[in-house]
Amino acid sequence: MIFSRNRGSGRHAKDDTRPSGTRRLEEELGLVDDEPEEAVAPKADRPEGPYDITEAPAGIPQLDLGALKVPAVDDVEVRVQADNEGKIQQIVLVHNDSALQLGIFAAPRSEGIWDEVRGEIRKQLFTDGVAAEDADGEWGVELRARVRTPDGLTDIRFVGIDGPRWLVRAVFQGPAAVDPDAAPQLLECLRNLVVDRGHEAMPVREPLPLHLPKEVAEATADGATEVPLPDAANGADGGGAAERRKPSPRPRRK
């Protein structure tokens, strides 16, 4: 696992400075999910994950990043970018020339939001001059496009998985964006991802809280440049260290 520390706080890491009436307006528009946990409808049955923490299988080594528990898979490097307080702004899993960026967001109790989110991503890509098309995938309808990055044109594939009061947004980049079998290790990570939604009511689409493991956050707060990570972060063979290093180039839009 590689840890990259961002000196400036990211958009998702900032405190909520919205006017006091904003939440009331969100409630009136139905944008805040205040339903009690016991009222949540069960997720549709799937042969594999991502899993809600209430249904996750036991015995899978994981890296606990708060709302996301990332499985440890051989030959997969976990790159995490966080602010000075240990709040994570970006998670990228890398295998050879392929990458998988993960995001987790609050969703309403009654219905999924991936169809709507996918439409908005397509619209933004079009605004940026990028053509995108729907395609059938393992988790339903995906969005595929080719974008320009500092390294040249790169294929990307957006996957959305609706769960009970959450949405996982996964963005494949590189060969795995064209051929899912090009990086089966990344697919294994996504299938065994675990979401801990928590019980707090949150605005729909609000990123769920992600943070570094306590021992990593404390060590980096003390100014350490290399931090030993939990064994689960390093795959089955152990080893590895956190470094100050930026993740791979990412798509212009997520």
Side-chain angles (χ1 to χ4, degrees):
M1 172 178 177
I2 289 181
F3 165 62
S4 173
R5 205 170 166 184
N6 184 357
R7 287 296 179 183
S9 297
R11 177 172 62 91
H12 296 328
K14 294 180 180 179
D15 294 334
D16 188 354
T17 56
R18 298 173 297 175
S20 58
T22 301
R23 179 178 172 84
R24 179 178 302 173
L25 177 61
E26 289 174 339
E27 291 173 343
E28 293 175 353
L29 295 176
L31 300 179
V32 177
D33 178 17
D34 284 319
E35 294 288 346
E37 187 70 16
E38 59 269 20
V40 176
K43 183 178 62 173
D45 290 337
R46 287 196 300 264
E48 296 176 293
Y51 301 98
D52 189 77
I53 195 168
T54 60
E55 62 179 9
I60 299 178
Q62 297 171 337
L63 176 63
D64 187 349
L65 298 178
L68 283 181
K69 321 297 181 185
V70 180
V73 175
D74 285 343
D75 299 323
V76 173
E77 183 179 67
V78 183
R79 301 181 181 181
V80 179
Q81 185 172 337
D83 65 12
N84 292 335
E85 297 178 351
K87 297 178 181 178
I88 293 175
Q89 301 165 350
Q90 180 175 263
I91 302 173
V92 179
L93 311 184
V94 179
H95 174 72
N96 293 336
D97 294 328
S98 295
L100 171 60
Q101 183 176 355
L102 297 172
I104 179 66
F105 305 90
R109 175 185 65 85
S110 56
E111 59 184 356
I113 59 175
W114 171 236
D115 287 345
E116 182 179 356
V117 170
R118 189 177 70 255
E120 293 177 358
I121 294 173
R122 183 192 296 106
K123 182 178 179 180
Q124 184 59 57
L125 288 169
F126 180 79
T127 300
D128 292 340
V130 177
E133 61 180 7
D134 287 345
D136 291 331
E138 180 174 338
W139 288 276
V141 181
E142 306 172 346
L143 189 65
R144 301 189 180 192
R146 178 170 292 180
V147 300
R148 187 172 300 279
T149 72
D151 294 333
L153 290 175
T154 300
D155 291 296
I156 56 175
R157 177 163 58 99
F158 296 87
V159 177
I161 303 108
D162 287 305
R165 301 172 72 217
W166 51 258
L167 168 72
V168 168
R169 186 193 61 197
V171 185
F172 288 90
Q173 179 175 330
V178 179
D179 178 11
D181 293 330
Q185 292 86 344
L186 295 181
L187 286 177
E188 182 180 352
C189 289
L190 186 55
R191 290 169 182 154
N192 289 292
L193 195 69
V194 175
V195 178
D196 186 356
R197 167 62 175 81
H199 302 280
E200 180 182 358
M202 297 181 64
V204 173
R205 304 194 191 191
E206 183 82 4
L208 299 184
L210 297 169
H211 55 75
L212 294 171
K214 182 179 179 181
E215 60 271 29
V216 176
E218 290 177 349
T220 54
D222 291 337
T225 56
E226 254 189 34
V227 183
L229 296 176
D231 290 341
N234 303 313
D237 57 350
E243 304 172 346
R244 297 180 184 275
R245 177 173 162 188
K246 293 182 179 179
S248 300
R250 50 180 174 168
R252 292 168 57 190
R253 292 292 305 179
K254 316 297 182 299

